[in-house]
Amino acid sequence: MLARRYPVLVEPEELLSMLNRGDHSDGGDNGVVLIDVRKEEDYMQGHIPRAVSLPLARVLESMDPRQLHMLFKRLGVDDSKHVIVYDDTFGALAARVAWALEYIGHEKVSLLSITYGRWSSLGYGIERGAGRVDQQHEGYTLADVSADHSILATYDYIQAILEGIKQLQQGKGTSTSTGKRVLLDVRERLNYLDHHIPYAVNIPWKAFTGEERILKPIEEIDALLSYRRISRDDEVIVYCGSVGTLSGLSYYALRLAGYSNVRLYARSLKEWRSLNLPVEGFKDAHYWDLSAE
Amino acid sequence: MQKHQERSIKHTHESEGGGGREQWGLPEEVTSVEEMIRLYREGKVSDDEFRRFRLQHGMYGSRLNQNYTMIRIKVPAGILYPEQLIRLAKLSEDFSIGSVHVTTRQNIQMHWVYLDDAPAVEKGLVEVGLTTREACGNTIRNVTCSPFAGVCMNEPFDVTPYAKALARFFLRNPMCQNLPRKFKFNFACCDEHSYARIADVGLVPVLKHGADGRSIRGFRVYIGGGLGPASYLAELLEEFTPEDMLLSTCMAVVRLFDRLGDREKMHRNRMRYLVHDMGFERFRELVLKERRAVEMTRSVLAKLYIREIKVDAPEMGQDAMVVELRPFNMPDGFDRWVKSNVMDQRQKGYAVVFIPLPAGDVTARQLRALAGICREFSHEGHVITTPTQGFALRWVMKSRLVELYRRLSEAGLANHGALSIASVVGCTSTTSCNLAITNAHRLAKEIRSRLIELGLDMDESLKDATIKLSGCPNSCGQHMIATIGFFGAAVRINNSLTPAYNMLLGGKVGKDSALGRVVARVPAKRIIDVILRLIDVYREERLEGESLASWIDRVLDGKGTGKIKGIDDLKPIIEEASRLPPPAEDPESYVDYGSDSRFIVRTARGECAA
Ligand code: SF4
C-alpha cells in the first residue's frame, strides 16, 4: 500500500476555501463532495452548507463493492472527486464511511478534523433542509468495480494470523515479512480485559482522539504506538466491539501518523463472537467493580 | 539579633493572591519514566532496580498481572483544580478504565494502565501541575490535610499553607529518598476532625497567647501512629511546637527514622514499631535531641515557604445555618441532601458541600462535570479529596445550594449520606490490589446502597458512626478507626473456603482517637445482615439520646445497662446473624461479591498498596 496522497484530515478553513473557490453558477462542486453521515433527520435540522446526506446505516447495508459504488455514485462521487466526510460522533461514523470509500478503491477521501457539533459551536455557517439532491449523477459510470482487500481483515484472515503467531511461539514457523502483525483492540480497557481476540493488544480508541479535534496530533499518536513498540513496518489490524466505527477512527489515526499497513476488521468482535471463535481475558481480578458506572 | 535572623531564614511568610498554585510535576520526570521503561523492556535494568524506580514514581503493580500498573497521583492537601480534573478525565479514558479512584489518603489512583503507556500518563499529569513522584515507595507519602482546613468552625488558623509547604520541602528531597519504609504526615484543622493520631507525624494547630498579647502559631505534634496489621495511635511529642520549629521537628523525626529504622524486616519497619520497641519516652528524647542538632546544622535553604491563602469571595452579611434552609423552590431530595452532605463553614454565608463517591470511584464524565461545577460554584476555585474517598466543594454560597444540587444531580454526584453512616469506605482490594483476599470495594458499595435504601443516612443517632472496610489486614480502608470496621480473611466454613471479614468495633479519630477491637468473624455475604442486626440491638438498648458510636463504646467498656452488658453478650447475636447454611443449600453465600466463581485466595508479593 502506498502512502496517502490525500490528507487524512481537512481543517474547517480548508474545507471552506475548497468549497468556495471558483463559482458555482453551473452547479459545479469544485471537485469536492462533502458527506454528512448523521441520521437523516439530524441532517434536515442543520448541516454544513453544500453537504449531501448519507447516513452510516446505508453504508453498512452491504460490503459488496458494487452496491457501495452505486451508493456513492448517486451522491456524485466519481474518480475525480475529493470526498470529505463528517459526523457528530467523534468522527467514528465518518471514519467508517471514508474507509468504505477507500475499500472500493476511492483514495481521494478525507475526514473533517472536527465534528459537526464543534463546527456549529465555532460559529461556522450551517444550512437547513433537504439540501442538494443530485439526481443527475445517476448517469455517471465509474471505473471498474474492484475492492481494495489490502485494507480489510476478515475473520479467516485473522484466524490465519493467530495460527501463524502460535506456530512462531512454538518455534515452528518462520517470520516471513520484516514487520510483525499486530492485532489492535480499541475498545475500552475493561471490555478488553474481560475478553478479546487472543494475542490482541489494547489501546482504547479515545487515546487517539483529541479534546477538540477528532484525532490527536501526529506526534502524540506516534508516541502511543511507539510505547507499544508498534512500528511502521508492522501490519496492524484494528477492531472494536461492533461495526468498525471506533476501529475505523483508529484506522485513520494510524494512517494519519504514517502507518500505511493497516487493516480494518470491519465486522469486528460482533462477528467474531457470533461465530464462537476463541477469546481470552483476564479473570484474576474483579476489576469491573472499579467501574463507577 | 542573631536569633532573630536565624528564625527568619527558617520560615518565610508570603502573601499571594490565588493561594499560591503549586506545580508538583517536573517535565524531566516524564523523560526519565520513558527511558526507564524502555531500558526495562530491553532487559537492561534488573527487576529490582525497575521496581524501586517505578514505586518512586507512583506505579504499583496491578493485581496478578505484570503488564499493567496502577498509577497513584500524589495530591498534597487533596487540592485539585478544574483543569486537573478535566485532564484526569481524559487520561482515564485514554489510558485507564474511564474512571479514577479517590483514596483515603487523598490521592487519586488510575487503575489498569498498560505499563508502557505510563510516560504518556505522566506527561499529561505534569502538564497540569500534577505528579506521581513519591506517591509510593519508601519515602514521604502524600501530605494529607483536613478537608475542613481553612473553613473549619473550630480551627485556630488555616493549616493548608503549612501542609503545602511541607509537601514542597520533602518532595524530591534527598533526605527522604531511601527511608526504611514509607512515612506519612497529616495536618488536622482541629481536634474534632483530626486524623493526626494515625500518622507517623500528626500536626494539630494551636494558638498560644504570648505575654505581650500577640498570639503565636504552633502545633501539637503527635508521632509514631499508623494503621496496618499492627496499628498504633501516635503519642504526643509536644503540646506546643512553635511554627518556626515545625520544620526542624519534622526533619528530626525523619532523620531519626532514617538512621534507626529497621531496613531488614519488611513487616516491622514502619516508624511506629521503632517507637514502640524503644519506648515512647526514649524516642521522644531522641527526637528532641535530634531537633537541636538539626537546628544547629541545617542549611539556610532548609525552610518552609508559607503562602497565606486569600479566597476571593464577597463577604456575606446575613447568614442562615444550613439546617434551617428552606428554599421555596426546594427540589426533591434537596432537604435530605443538605442534611447529610452540607455543612456550615466558618465564613458567613458559605457552605462546604461533600460529594460522596461509591467506594471512591468517579467517572471521566463526572470529573468533567465537577470541573465545570467547581468553576461556577466554589469561590476558592478548587475541590478537595477527602479521607472518606469523596470530594469536598467549599466556599459555596448558601443562596446557590438549590442550583448546585440540581447540577450535581444531573451528573450523578448528589448522592446522599456523605456525612453519615452511609459514607462507607472500601479499599480497592481484589479489583486491583495484589494483596487482597476479599472484594471490600464492592462490598462497601453494597453496604452503602443498602443503608441509603433504608434511609439510615437520615438517622441522627447513626450520624457519628462510620463503616470502613479493607480487603486484607493492611488497612488501606482504615477499618481500625471505624465505629464498625472490617478486614478481609478467608475462613473455612462448613468445609468450604469462604470469603469473610474480621469485624472490629469502637474505632474512631478525633479528640478521643481509638483503635477498633476485633470482636467477630463474619462471612462476606452476612456483613450487611450483621450491621443491620447491630443497629436493631442498639435501638433496643440505647439510653435516651445516645448515639450508636457511644453505645458501642459503652458496651466495649462492659458498661451496658440493658440485656447487653458487655461485648460477650453481643458476640452471640453477631454469630447468629453470621451463620451460613451448608454450601449445597446456599452456594451464593460462599462466593465473594463481584464474583461468580468459587472463592479462592490468590495474592502476590505486596508492594504495600496503601
Ligand atoms: S493492601 Fe489490603 S487494605 Fe490495602 S488496598 Fe490491598 S487489599 Fe486493601
Side-chain angles (χ1 to χ4, degrees), chain A residues 189-190 192-193 204 206-207 209-211 216 220 224 227-229 282 284-287 289-293, chain B residues 34 63 65 68 90 93-96 99 111-112 114 116-117 119 361 430-431 439 441-442 445 594-595 602:
Chain A
R189 178 67 34 88
L190 288 178
Y192 167 82
L193 283 168
K206 281 204 176 151
T209 66
E211 297 264 24
K216 276 183 179 162
E220 286 184 37
L224 278 178
Y227 289 148
R228 300 302 191 87
R229 289 168 297 281
F282 181 65
D284 285 336
H286 302 131
Y287 44 77
D289 290 332
L290 262 186
S291 136
E293 293 290 6
Chain B
E34 199 173 70
R63 182 170 173 81
N65 194 326
Y68 294 89
K90 178 70 176 145
E93 288 171 337
D94 291 4
F95 302 108
S96 177
S99 66
H111 291 277
W112 299 101
Y114 201 78
D116 301 77
D117 290 343
D361 295 340
T430 54
T431 64
N439 190 350
H441 190 74
R442 175 64 176 273
K445 291 184 183 183
S595 167
R602 291 200 62 188

Side-chain angles (χ1 to χ4, degrees), chain B residues 219-261:
Chain B
F219 296 87
R220 194 168 331 111
V221 180
Y222 293 94
I223 55 173
L227 306 180
S231 303
Y232 295 103
L233 289 177
E235 303 270 354
L236 185 64
L237 176 75
E238 284 188 309
E239 271 295 346
F240 187 80
T241 302
E243 61 168 339
D244 60 3
M245 285 172 84
L246 171 65
L247 181 57
S248 54
T249 310
C250 294
M251 285 172 74
V253 182
V254 171
R255 275 171 43 158
L256 262 188
F257 176 50
D258 189 30
R259 233 174 25 241
L260 305 177

Side-chain angles (χ1 to χ4, degrees), chain B residues 526-541:
Chain B
R526 288 293 176 275
I527 299 272
I528 294 178
D529 303 303
V530 165
I531 293 171
L532 296 178
R533 185 79 190 96
L534 187 68
I535 293 173
D536 281 346
V537 176
Y538 149 71
R539 283 176 170 164
E540 288 158 21
E541 296 276 319

Side-chain angles (χ1 to χ4, degrees), chain B residues 427-429 433 435-436 470-477 609-610:
Chain B
C427 69
T428 60
S429 51
C433 172
L435 297 171
S470 304
C472 84
N474 279 312
S475 218
C476 304

Side-chain angles (χ1 to χ4, degrees), chain B residues 146-196:
Chain B
S146 164
F148 294 103
V151 300
C152 173
M153 293 279 189
N154 324 323
E155 70 180 7
F157 60 89
D158 182 5
V159 295
T160 314
Y162 297 84
K164 290 207 281 188
L166 202 67
R168 168 62 75 202
F169 178 81
F170 282 118
L171 187 65
R172 305 185 183 87
N173 191 321
M175 75 178 284
C176 56
Q177 295 308 298
N178 189 19
L179 296 176
R181 195 65 196 285
K182 60 185 170 181
F183 194 93
K184 299 171 178 177
F185 282 99
N186 171 267
F187 280 86
C189 51
C190 68
D191 278 321
E192 188 190 331
H193 301 129
S194 167
Y195 279 67

Side-chain angles (χ1 to χ4, degrees), chain A residues 212-238:
Chain A
E212 277 146 18
R213 294 157 50 85
I214 61 169
L215 292 173
K216 276 183 179 162
I218 293 176
E219 321 79 72
E220 286 184 37
I221 295 171
D222 215 21
L224 278 178
L225 297 167
S226 70
Y227 289 148
R228 300 302 191 87
R229 289 168 297 281
I230 297 172
S231 88
R232 289 189 172 73
D233 294 331
D234 297 338
E235 178 184 307
V236 184
I237 296 113
V238 282

Side-chain angles (χ1 to χ4, degrees), chain B residues 4-51:
Chain B
H4 181 79
Q5 261 183 12
E6 217 196 350
R7 284 202 169 187
S8 63
I9 51 173
K10 283 178 203 166
H11 194 88
T12 312
H13 266 271
E14 286 171 20
S15 224
E16 193 179 283
R21 177 80 163 266
E22 302 277 351
Q23 296 293 320
W24 305 106
L26 271 188
E28 301 88 281
E29 283 171 3
V30 179
T31 323
S32 64
V33 167
E34 199 173 70
E35 185 69 8
M36 253 331 239
I37 291 177
R38 193 174 56 74
L39 291 174
Y40 173 66
R41 288 299 194 196
E42 289 168 2
K44 291 180 182 149
V45 293
S46 69
D47 281 1
D48 269 1
E49 197 181 338
F50 180 65
R51 183 170 166 273

